[in-house]
């Protein structure tokens, strides 16, 4: 049992890793700028998020197994070092293949960070405060996601090079590694039989778990799809200028940040299953309204609303599944992080549909994902009756 007292000395460097975790959301800025710099079509441009998020499917469970052997802190530092490398290399060598390779390293590093950071945070906070700090960690992550577009624009305008944001975030990643390395954290050790790849994949035969894993796959697809495709939608459909369109996604991340903060408060009074239904419905309606936005201002307001609605869907699905199958928490965690690969597969579908038809049609892919989430939330309510 976790009976330790709260220590800011140990908690702060772990929380900073969630800020580093947010750097994968540079993928949206990368799509917009690479599309312009290398004259890419929508399909090719959406290979950038695929280069980031495909690794969640491939590496999540192996990383968890390796983590059992070398420890969470060491694994987390490896992830942040890979993140730094993925950011710094494209700054010095800027071509589309190198940019793809950099984002691939960013994705590998982020996979490691996601697998390691959450359990390490639980290790350094009192057990009664674990849920609160997990919600707060998403708030920290959203701050990084929100400020990135503004920093990229600042560096583009002030110094003529948006890629300086890569160098800044790479430096923060390295500083985080140093800080965490010198933090003497006592990690908890697993007392039961370790999870294996086979034991994880076998759980997909359980209908409830399979449906919830698909829910994670699709909500991450919505998250990355909005991040990667919204800028092009605002420019093509509504004629918005380039820089305001890029900065528009900051409103989405601001909505996510505020939603994560409010969710931690509201979930003390509202059941998780009802909150999941409300969040899914809000996401669906906001995406639908966004597609038919009559003006730039309304579109930007709706981007904020999408972020607000979708902000708690991932942690709600995760917690509801683990709560129902508590004895299989390790395997379920591996599957859930694998499902983050939805961020690799949904955006290319959006891009392909946009090329074949138009950018508005591409956004309907994200609408279809949100329809599934509403159905999933109704299913979870029915299962509780």
């Amino acid at each position: 049992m976790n009976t330790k007292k709260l220590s800011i000395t140990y908690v702060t460097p772990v929380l900073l890793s969630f800020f580093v975790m947010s750097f994968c959301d540079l993928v949206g800025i990368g799509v917009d700028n690479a599309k312009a710099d290398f004259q890419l079509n929508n399909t090719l441009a959406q290979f950038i998020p695929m280069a980031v998020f495909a690794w969640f499917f491939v590496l999540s469970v192996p990383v968890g197994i390796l983590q059992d052997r070398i420890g969470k802190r060491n694994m987390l530092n490896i992830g942040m070092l890979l993140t730094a490398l993925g950011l710094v290399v494209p700054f010095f060598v800027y071509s589309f293949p190198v940019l793809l390779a950099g984002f691939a390293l960013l994705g590998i590093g982020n996979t490691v960070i996601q697998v390691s950071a959450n359990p390490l945070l639980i290790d350094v906070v009192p057990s009664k405060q674990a849920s609160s700090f997990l919600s707060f960690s998403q708030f920290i992550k959203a701050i990084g996601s929100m400020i990135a577009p503004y920093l990229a624009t600042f560096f583009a305008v002030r110094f003529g090079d948006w890629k300086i944001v890569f160098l800044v975030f790479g430096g923060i990643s390295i500083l985080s590694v140093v800080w965490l390395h010198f933090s003497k954290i006592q990690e908890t050790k697993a007392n039961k039989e370790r999870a294996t790849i086979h034991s994880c994949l076998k759980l997909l035969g359980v209908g409830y778990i399979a449906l919830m894993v698909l829910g994670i796959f699709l909500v991450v697809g919505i998250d990355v799809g909005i991040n990667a495709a919204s800028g092009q939608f605002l420019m093509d459909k509504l004629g918005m200028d380039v820089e305001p369109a890029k900065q528009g996604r900051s409103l989405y991340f601001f909505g996510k940040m505020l939603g994560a903060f409010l969710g931690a408060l509201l979930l003390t009074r509202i059941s998780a299953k009802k909150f999941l239904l409300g969040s899914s419905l809000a996401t669906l309606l906001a995406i639908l309204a966004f597609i038919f936005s009559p003006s730039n201002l309304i579109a930007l307001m709706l981007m904020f609303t999408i972020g607000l609605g979708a902000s708690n869907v991932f942690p709600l699905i995760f917690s509801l599944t683990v709560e129902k199958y508590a004895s299989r928490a390790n395997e379920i965690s591996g599957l859930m992080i694998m499902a983050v690969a939805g961020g690799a597969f949904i955006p290319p579908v959006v891009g392909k549909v946009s090329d074949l038809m138009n950018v508005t049609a591409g956004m309907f892919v994200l609408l279809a994902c949100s329809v599934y989430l509403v159905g999933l939330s109704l299913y979870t309510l029915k299962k509780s009756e």
Side-chain angles (χ1 to χ4, degrees):
M1 181 181 293
N2 185 349
T3 59
K4 62 176 67 65
K5 294 181 179 180
L6 181 63
S7 173
I8 299 299
T9 302
Y10 300 146
V11 171
T12 306
V14 179
L15 283 175
L16 185 58
S17 71
F18 286 88
F19 188 78
V20 176
M21 189 189 293
S22 74
F23 297 168
C24 71
D25 289 323
L26 285 168
V27 66
I29 300 167
V31 168
D32 288 342
N33 286 283
K35 194 172 186 297
D37 294 344
F38 306 115
Q39 291 78 52
L40 307 176
N41 61 28
N42 289 311
T43 302
L44 277 177
Q46 294 302 328
F47 274 100
I48 294 175
M50 187 173 188
V52 175
F53 290 94
W55 300 104
F56 286 92
F57 182 78
V58 177
L59 296 178
S60 295
V61 174
V63 166
I65 294 171
L66 178 60
Q67 182 172 277
D68 276 346
R69 299 183 179 182
I70 70 173
K72 305 180 189 74
R73 184 180 61 170
N74 290 333
M75 203 74 236
L76 181 53
N77 271 339
I78 290 172
M80 291 193 290
L81 282 172
L82 289 170
T83 297
L85 185 62
L87 290 167
V88 171
V89 170
F91 175 80
F92 291 105
V93 182
Y94 188 56
S95 66
F96 185 57
V98 173
L99 187 65
L100 275 181
F103 272 108
L105 282 171
L106 190 62
I108 295 169
N110 203 265
T111 301
V112 175
I113 293 171
Q114 295 243 20
V115 172
S116 306
N118 287 299
L120 187 60
L121 181 60
I122 292 173
D123 280 349
V124 298
V125 301
S127 56
K128 292 183 179 180
Q129 298 181 35
S131 297
S132 175
F133 271 94
L134 285 173
S135 295
F136 186 69
S137 70
Q138 296 304 305
F139 174 75
I140 298 294
K141 180 179 181 292
I143 291 174
S145 302
M146 187 184 69
I147 66 173
Y150 288 104
L151 283 177
T153 298
F154 170 77
F155 291 128
V157 173
R158 184 71 173 82
F159 301 103
D161 190 355
W162 68 274
K163 300 189 302 299
I164 295 175
V165 72
F166 285 175
L167 202 60
V168 171
F169 282 176
I172 293 173
S173 301
I174 294 171
L175 289 174
S176 299
V177 169
V178 174
W179 192 355
L180 186 61
H181 176 75
F182 288 103
S183 299
K184 297 180 180 180
I185 294 173
Q186 291 293 117
E187 300 182 24
T188 58
K189 304 293 183 182
N191 295 320
K192 61 179 184 178
E193 184 178 348
R194 292 172 177 171
T196 64
I197 294 176
H198 176 72
S199 67
C200 285
L201 297 180
K202 188 176 179 181
L203 286 178
L204 289 175
V206 180
Y208 183 91
I209 293 176
L211 291 172
M212 298 296 261
V213 168
L214 180 57
I216 292 289
F217 183 90
L218 294 178
V219 73
V220 176
I222 291 172
D223 185 55
V224 181
I226 289 291
N227 187 8
S230 61
Q232 204 61 43
F233 177 85
L234 292 171
M235 288 185 283
D236 290 358
K237 173 102 187 295
L238 297 174
M240 190 177 291
D241 291 337
V242 175
E243 291 306 324
K246 292 177 184 177
Q247 293 171 15
R249 65 172 54 88
S250 288
L251 289 172
Y252 171 74
F253 288 116
F254 179 65
K256 286 192 68 178
M257 181 180 69
L258 183 60
F261 182 77
L262 293 176
L265 300 176
L266 292 174
L267 282 167
T268 62
R269 301 185 177 185
I270 304 174
S271 77
K273 292 177 181 179
K274 291 181 179 178
F275 199 78
L276 177 60
L277 177 59
S279 297
S280 300
L281 279 171
T283 303
L284 169 63
L285 294 174
I287 292 176
L288 182 62
F290 178 71
I291 292 172
F292 295 102
S293 302
S295 70
N296 292 349
L297 178 60
I298 292 176
L300 292 174
M301 292 173 62
L302 286 167
M303 285 193 67
F304 168 82
T305 307
I306 296 170
L308 191 68
S311 58
N312 291 288
V313 174
F314 183 110
L316 284 168
I317 293 176
F318 193 102
S319 62
L320 285 170
T321 310
V322 171
E323 180 183 343
K324 187 174 178 67
Y325 297 93
S327 63
R328 312 301 297 275
N330 288 334
E331 290 94 335
I332 290 170
S333 295
L335 288 174
M336 292 296 183
I337 300 302
M338 281 179 64
V340 174
F345 295 102
I346 299 300
V349 175
V350 174
K352 188 64 176 178
V353 173
S354 297
D355 283 336
L356 292 174
M357 301 176 69
N358 54 59
V359 69
T360 301
M363 297 301 293
F364 273 95
V365 175
L366 305 181
L367 184 68
C369 295
S370 65
V371 170
Y372 176 87
L373 294 176
V374 173
L376 181 67
S377 61
L378 289 170
Y379 172 77
T380 60
L381 274 176
K382 184 178 179 181
K383 292 293 287 186
S384 65
E385 293 177 353

